[in-house]
Amino acid sequence: MKISRIFLFLAIITGCLGCTQIPDSPSTQQIGFNFGAKTEKKYEDMIVGYAQLGAESEWRAANTISIKETADNLGVELRFLDAQQKQENQIEAVRKFIIQKVDIIGISPIVETGWEEVFQEAKDAGIPIILVDRRAAVPEDFYVSYLGSDFLEEGRKAARIMTELMDGKANIVELVGTIGSAPANDRYAGFREILETYPEMQIIDSQSGDFTRARGKEVMAAFLQKYGGTITAVYAHNDDMALGAIQAIEEYGLKPGKDIKIVSVDAARGAFEAMIDGKLNATVECNPLLGPQFFDLALKVVNEQPIPKWVPSIEDVFFPENASEILPTRKY
Ligand code: AHR
């Protein structure tokens, strides 16, 4: 009782009632007890822990470079851990960062579920979390912001392009990303949302290729064994799987991009090269160059400035027609 009155008094004189934009961050907790002027933190004062999920694709390689290079350029002390596509390693990485008392944690959660316990631990330690690239299915107060794409919209864009390419009639096989990941879940759902109104656009099979080129090739080869030339289109949740599928189609003796139309997601350089060769019909952009926006958000968080709950990336779609003109401008 006495304590809460003292707190109320301190909160009133510091003008801080209701202004906790960043719940439970260490700096927010100090607000009521800090009577001196606060010195604003700079990039070089920050220690950032980053729990990357792995190195499964061209996209991910570009994303990692963007995080590391930006930290270097800004003088941020970055502790970077690669979980090698295993959720338990990513959880372990977050726990390490908590022990190390970093100022803030960035994480690209490999799958959507299973994060509550470790995020609660970070929250209890007063360390804010920014979700980068992939969302986690946790209550909103477990993270300060999500920086990344609208994966549902990417799925819708792919379906619109596919429908147009195929004149509303196709036998589609789908190469799904990592099972349970936000991009796989949403690209799957967004694609179906649009196809609902096109009864002759049939998804005849759908299997995970885990976002890798090798698995994409294997799964596509199995589809071809099963359905042969009845397949008229491939929807791949990322470029790497599409590139693997292209190899499988060629080895089967068909022409990718012609006998079988292919639409994928990411807009990585490999996809542009495949479009120039006439083997890929379109790619929907998903931007991995999130380093500058991530550290900008992180600095705002440690300085207790308000930030949006979702910072979406701005993304385009690309076709073979202008692929050679655009390729030299692509950074990943
Ligand atoms: O989360 C983004 C996805 O992850 C990219 O589309 C894919 O290439 C990557 O592995």
Side-chain angles (χ1 to χ4, degrees), residues 59 149-151 153-155 157-158 161 187 239 264-268 272 282-289 313-318 326 329-332:
W59 189 101
S149 308
D150 185 342
F151 297 132
E153 187 52 26
E154 290 171 353
K157 283 180 187 167
I161 295 167
R187 288 173 190 165
D239 289 340
S264 65
V265 185
D266 277 357
F272 280 82
T283 181
V284 174
E285 188 174 35
C286 178
N287 182 14
L289 309 176
S313 343
I314 298 162
E315 291 161 350
D316 214 336
V317 294
F318 300 98
I326 293 173
T329 69
R330 297 302 289 168
K331 301 228 162 33
Y332 66 99

Side-chain angles (χ1 to χ4, degrees), residues 56-57 59-60 133-134 151 183 187 211 237-238 266 286:
E56 75 286 3
S57 61
W59 189 101
R60 188 68 51 198
D133 157 42
R134 296 188 184 179
F151 297 132
R187 288 173 190 165
F211 282 130
H237 285 198
N238 81 344
D266 277 357
C286 178

Side-chain angles (χ1 to χ4, degrees), residues 1-312:
M1 190 64 168
K2 216 172 186 178
I3 291 173
S4 61
R5 273 210 215 108
I6 292 169
F7 178 76
L8 184 65
F9 168 72
L10 290 169
I12 289 168
I13 61 169
T14 54
C16 212
L17 268 187
C19 72
T20 52
Q21 306 115 356
I22 299 141
D24 295 345
S25 76
S27 27
T28 306
Q29 288 167 351
Q30 286 159 16
I31 284 174
F33 304 93
N34 185 356
F35 293 98
K38 274 235 199 84
T39 35
E40 195 157 301
K41 282 205 177 187
K42 301 196 189 67
Y43 283 118
E44 53 274 27
D45 304 322
M46 266 198 311
I47 302 178
V48 178
Y50 198 92
Q52 180 59 288
L53 68 88
E56 75 286 3
S57 61
E58 208 181 325
W59 189 101
R60 188 68 51 198
N63 180 246
T64 291
I65 290 171
S66 174
I67 299 292
K68 287 184 173 173
E69 278 186 359
T70 313
D72 240 33
N73 294 340
L74 297 172
V76 172
E77 183 174 339
L78 176 68
R79 315 258 168 97
F80 185 95
L81 291 173
D82 176 341
Q84 298 176 347
Q85 295 265 80
K86 291 205 173 78
Q87 183 174 30
E88 61 267 32
N89 292 348
Q90 239 182 339
I91 291 174
E92 205 39 54
V94 173
R95 293 206 166 113
K96 280 193 181 136
F97 296 144
I98 295 172
I99 292 166
Q100 292 171 11
K101 296 190 168 55
V102 299
D103 292 306
I104 186 159
I105 295 172
I107 180 168
S108 184
I110 181 154
V111 290
E112 286 197 80
T113 54
W115 298 103
E116 294 216 3
E117 194 182 331
V118 73
F119 281 16
Q120 180 69 59
E121 290 167 25
K123 196 172 174 216
D124 292 344
I127 302 176
I129 289 181
I130 297 181
L131 303 178
V132 188
D133 157 42
R134 296 188 184 179
R135 289 183 325 272
V138 291
E140 284 214 337
D141 62 335
F142 275 37
Y143 62 94
V144 287
S145 188
Y146 162 57
L147 162 66
S149 308
D150 185 342
F151 297 132
L152 205 57
E153 187 52 26
E154 290 171 353
R156 293 187 194 115
K157 283 180 187 167
R160 289 189 198 106
I161 295 167
M162 183 75 93
T163 307
E164 212 166 304
L165 266 174
M166 304 304 298
D167 275 335
K169 190 175 173 172
N171 283 336
I172 306 162
V173 291
E174 180 182 31
L175 295 168
V176 176
T178 300
I179 295 294
S181 68
N185 290 343
D186 289 359
R187 288 173 190 165
Y188 180 98
F191 192 75
R192 281 161 179 75
E193 196 184 299
I194 300 298
L195 289 203
E196 248 175 33
T197 46
Y198 295 92
E200 290 190 284
M201 294 287 289
Q202 292 292 326
I203 301 169
I204 58 171
D205 213 332
S206 172
Q207 298 288 331
S208 173
D210 208 14
F211 282 130
T212 70
R213 200 169 295 200
R215 283 292 297 146
K217 184 177 175 188
E218 261 172 55
V219 176
M220 187 66 210
F223 283 154
L224 284 161
Q225 280 309 315
K226 195 162 168 197
Y227 305 103
T230 60
I231 300 169
T232 57
V234 175
Y235 166 41
H237 285 198
N238 81 344
D239 289 340
D240 280 81
M241 291 189 294
L243 296 175
I246 287 172
Q247 288 174 15
I249 295 168
E250 284 177 328
E251 283 172 20
Y252 188 78
L254 291 173
K255 288 199 174 66
K258 294 184 181 69
D259 299 326
I260 298 181
K261 303 273 200 274
I262 309 171
V263 175
S264 65
V265 185
D266 277 357
R269 290 180 68 87
F272 280 82
E273 283 155 8
M275 287 198 290
I276 292 167
D277 294 343
K279 297 177 180 177
L280 179 72
N281 302 87
T283 181
V284 174
E285 188 174 35
C286 178
N287 182 14
L289 309 176
L290 302 173
Q293 279 172 292
F294 168 65
F295 289 106
D296 177 59
L297 281 174
L299 188 64
K300 287 191 170 114
V301 173
V302 301
N303 282 318
E304 298 162 23
Q305 290 164 13
I307 54 164
K309 205 72 199 182
W310 178 19
V311 182

